[in-house]
Amino acid sequence: MSTSAISHQSNLDAALFRLTLDRQGAQPLQQQLAEELRGLIRTGRHAGARLPASRTLAAELSVSRMTVTTAYDQLTAEGYLVARRGAGTYVAADLPHLAPPAPRRAPPLAAPAPYLPFQPGVPDQRLFPHRLWARHLERAWRHPPPALLARADPFGWGPLRVAISEHLAAWRGLEAAPDQIVITGGAWDAFDLISQQVALRGGAIAVEDPGWPTLHRLLTRRGVTPHPVRIDESGFDPAACPAGTAAAVVTPSRHYPTGRAMPLSRRLQVLHWAEAEGALVVEDDYDSEFRYQGQPLPSLAGLDGLRRTIYMGSFSKLLSPALRIGYLVLPETLVGAVREDLAVTGVRASLLPQPALAEFMASGDFATHLRRMRRVYARRQGHLLAALEAAGAGAALALKPDPSGMHLVLSLCDGQSDAAIAAGAEARGIGPRALSSHALLPEAPQGLILGYAAFEPEELDAAARVLAEVLAQG
Amino acid sequence: MSTSAISHQSNLDAALFRLTLDRQGAQPLQQQLAEELRGLIRTGRHAGARLPASRTLAAELSVSRMTVTTAYDQLTAEGYLVARRGAGTYVAADLPHLAPPAPRRAPPLAAPAPYLPFQPGVPDQRLFPHRLWARHLERAWRHPPPALLARADPFGWGPLRVAISEHLAAWRGLEAAPDQIVITGGAWDAFDLISQQVALRGGAIAVEDPGWPTLHRLLTRRGVTPHPVRIDESGFDPAACPAGTAAAVVTPSRHYPTGRAMPLSRRLQVLHWAEAEGALVVEDDYDSEFRYQGQPLPSLAGLDGLRRTIYMGSFSKLLSPALRIGYLVLPETLVGAVREDLAVTGVRASLLPQPALAEFMASGDFATHLRRMRRVYARRQGHLLAALEAAGAGAALALKPDPSGMHLVLSLCDGQSDAAIAAGAEARGIGPRALSSHALLPEAPQGLILGYAAFEPEELDAAARVLAEVLAQG
């Protein structure tokens, strides 16, 4: 026995002599023992040392022999100990020293922050029929049919795709078969699938400017460079796209964030451009169910007959952003390519909400909710206009009623910086967005995006007063 | 009026004369009228024509005047019609011709296919406590607390991260604070976040060979090239990694698919390599809760003290692949970088299952379920071994019990092709996987991966008999 082996042996014997187990503790004794031994071995000061016979250690610790053999077996399986037939149990000799993990004080988790007044793009989740929805969830999963437990279709739950197909025909003038509909895990997922199709074609992807800043970031993150195209009075202008553009992402029903609807003549121009260039058009139809006069304007994809247009819908604004559920409607020619891509990554959207949402839609509860929210949001828009007027912010600034949407855009006086005002407003606890922060091109238009959908009249009153003060100072 | 304008006018008048509405139909009359007019205008044969006064058309169609004005207003908003003050309503003159969408017969949606016997990596969802789970879901969402309706933390629901932290301490020997835990939307989402961190560091990502084929595809899809490293008896060998490797994805608890556990000495070698190279180690701990002798082996991340190891856990195998819920445990030094990345893409995992899962775990129902499934799967493994023996497939082929996991790997006789046998088996309705299809390197080992977890004893008996026949023919 070498000197170091002797010292390792006496180290171990001394350490075991000092070892105590907590008989009142919640952890079983064999687990406590294994943990103590593991800690000792990890110090590196006992390599190669022989452990006492299980009977001996059991007597010393006043535990059953079973407790000791279970702990020895566990550590042997883990590799800390080596059992030599007929010669006893040893600490593994070949373990390099490993420092114990540094103790760390974990910061407490921050509670989720509420949305600031004027935050755009958020529905009022307080008005969501939670009890009804919870009941649909419970019913869908209490006795799930075999199809829900089988190999999931990467395109999503069939009955939900049928319900969406019916919704699109009724609300969006779009005749799409369920087999053209892919359920996605929200915008990130949808644009990931779209980016892949654009990458396969090569060429740039045109985006509206100003536009949705998250879109620029999502595309860039996926290695696709967005090419910003400045919008005019009619919205996106395909004539301004560079040659070789493979796809354009547009918001024809209601340009984000300015709220302009694309006139029919421009819509047709976009479709003719796409046809001539062999390009795809992605219609991001983010909130057009909320139209307050007449029916929602029919979709561009419906006008196109889903020839070159991918239609993108979401439940984030209609129900809740927490669901992370959206969908794409694909031209028939793309169905195969997207199926191939999903075969690479597997199913992506959670199946959990899908049967409940299918029932929620098929039962009519969804349409009832949409109609109700349409009335509520129309009233809130009117309330916001009146509140800004009353606070003295409306008169000086051109702010017109909008026949649709969940936010208004407030123009600013010459020389005012929307970024400075938005920052000042946030410091006062309200969250309007600077229009210029939605543009990539220089000489961005200035304005404030005021979301009103998620806020009660009193919240809008208070926020309008704060905004008027910030505007007066800016 | 030009000749073409005259013909357009008479075209329109004739078409309107033939127009009929369905008074018994479900669709309101104004909607029917709008749809008919839209169809007429889209033929391009009525551009510039004047529509009858609303009173006139109402009388002709025997509908109220309101029906006609509503339809006219809708089409004017859509851009099909133009209202000229005091001069009546006209079909827009500047609309290019647009062919109507080609009618299309949609194929019926295929019903989801059940899993074929021997499909690996799937839990038996029939044994999942559905009623209990449905009740947790219903309770979580019936009266959601304000925090569930607030701005979601991109790292996921706090109480779920606390529950996972406690699960890891108890089952996986891993002390991780909730703020190091990110809830992901499954493996695709997790490897997307990991790929981004690897891409930021530059350099290759090493993967085990044979390994998980989906992993190769996921990384390639994200633009990261996997570098396959052939495993030896101890599993992944870091000495075989090329210089400049930025990360390695390993399955130390149970190598996928061979089932080997990485001994402690190799684990320490991997951690020392990572330290010396400044590389990340990703521990994919896909099913190690299912250990049938003693406690599960502690995680590599726990041994490392989460210095350089990202731990990756999943609920797909523990509960259901339909949930699409997994998590990453990050070294403290990566928390900020992943938060930045998630700020780009926004929240990705659905919030819907998260509060229910947190309650399911905190209540102890989850641990009860795991312990039960551990007993069931251990019995099924024993049953499969006996069934293969009884069917005459066990004797010739070395097939040993495995102390853990959800599948066994069957060696083949010399000269047999696992791919040919797997194909033959699939034609007979059973789904073993060819081991060689899990390798990227040449001279791949041959074998059959037999999943047993999701199948009842009678299903395993029948599948073993079919497999024995296929093997006898192969």
Side-chain angles (χ1 to χ4, degrees), chain A residues 39-352:
Chain A
L40 290 175
I41 298 168
R42 283 174 61 139
T43 62
R45 291 189 290 117
H46 312 291
R50 184 177 193 275
L51 278 106
S54 53
R55 194 184 307 272
T56 314
L57 186 58
E60 283 177 12
L61 296 171
S62 306
V63 296
S64 78
R65 195 180 156 202
M66 183 75 169
T67 300
V68 178
T69 53
T70 308
Y72 280 13
D73 286 351
Q74 174 70 21
L75 293 182
T76 305
E78 293 178 13
Y80 286 96
L81 299 180
V82 180
R84 297 200 199 130
R85 194 176 291 270
T89 302
Y90 292 79
V91 175
D94 58 347
L95 299 181
H97 170 72
L98 195 79
R104 160 164 194 278
R105 186 163 309 174
L109 289 181
Y115 293 105
L116 295 184
F118 293 147
Q119 156 94 34
V122 199
D124 193 335
Q125 297 178 73
R126 295 169 294 193
L127 299 180
F128 183 71
H130 292 289
R131 286 179 67 92
L132 210 55
W133 170 247
R135 212 178 308 143
H136 280 299
L137 266 180
E138 203 262 341
R139 275 194 207 140
W141 288 104
R142 191 175 40 190
H143 300 298
L148 267 179
L149 307 181
R151 247 183 309 185
D153 185 330
F155 269 38
W157 180 234
L160 176 58
R161 290 154 68 204
V162 171
I164 289 172
S165 157
E166 284 161 10
H167 172 78
L168 291 174
W171 287 70
R172 309 298 303 113
L174 179 57
E175 297 291 337
D179 70 312
Q180 294 174 279
I181 298 174
V182 194
I183 309 297
T184 65
W188 156 248
D189 196 22
F191 277 112
D192 182 74
L193 289 174
I194 290 167
S195 299
Q196 182 67 7
Q197 296 308 316
V198 173
L200 290 175
R201 283 154 186 259
I205 187 162
V207 299
E208 298 167 330
D209 197 86
W212 185 40
T214 304
L215 173 61
H216 308 156
R217 294 197 303 259
L218 291 182
L219 294 173
T220 309
R221 169 74 162 65
R222 279 290 287 114
V224 177
T225 311
H227 180 89
V229 172
R230 202 186 298 276
I231 61 154
D232 63 18
E233 280 307 310
S234 300
F236 179 81
D237 181 5
C241 285
T245 299
V249 184
V250 295
T251 54
S253 294
R254 196 177 133 74
H255 171 257
Y256 191 83
T258 66
R260 288 172 205 162
M262 187 183 278
L264 187 60
S265 54
R266 177 62 62 85
R267 288 172 183 238
L268 293 167
Q269 225 176 303
V270 169
L271 296 180
H272 281 279
W273 165 81
E275 188 70 33
E277 294 283 322
L280 290 174
V281 178
V282 180
E283 176 178 23
D284 181 1
D285 203 35
Y286 60 98
D287 72 357
S288 56
E289 277 87 350
F290 297 130
R291 190 169 172 87
Y292 310 126
Q293 293 164 14
Q295 293 295 310
L297 300 184
S299 62
L300 181 64
L303 190 65
D304 177 42
L306 279 170
R307 275 191 192 80
R308 314 201 61 90
T309 307
I310 300 176
Y311 177 90
M312 192 175 149
S314 166
F315 294 99
S316 291
K317 306 216 170 33
L318 310 184
L319 297 176
S320 147
L323 282 182
R324 295 285 118 195
I325 282 258
Y327 55 92
L328 293 177
V329 187
L330 303 173
E332 223 183 324
T333 49
L334 273 185
V335 168
V338 173
R339 277 218 174 260
E340 264 175 48
D341 189 29
L342 280 170
V344 169
T345 62
V347 176
R348 283 147 58 148
S350 173
L351 189 60
L352 195 72

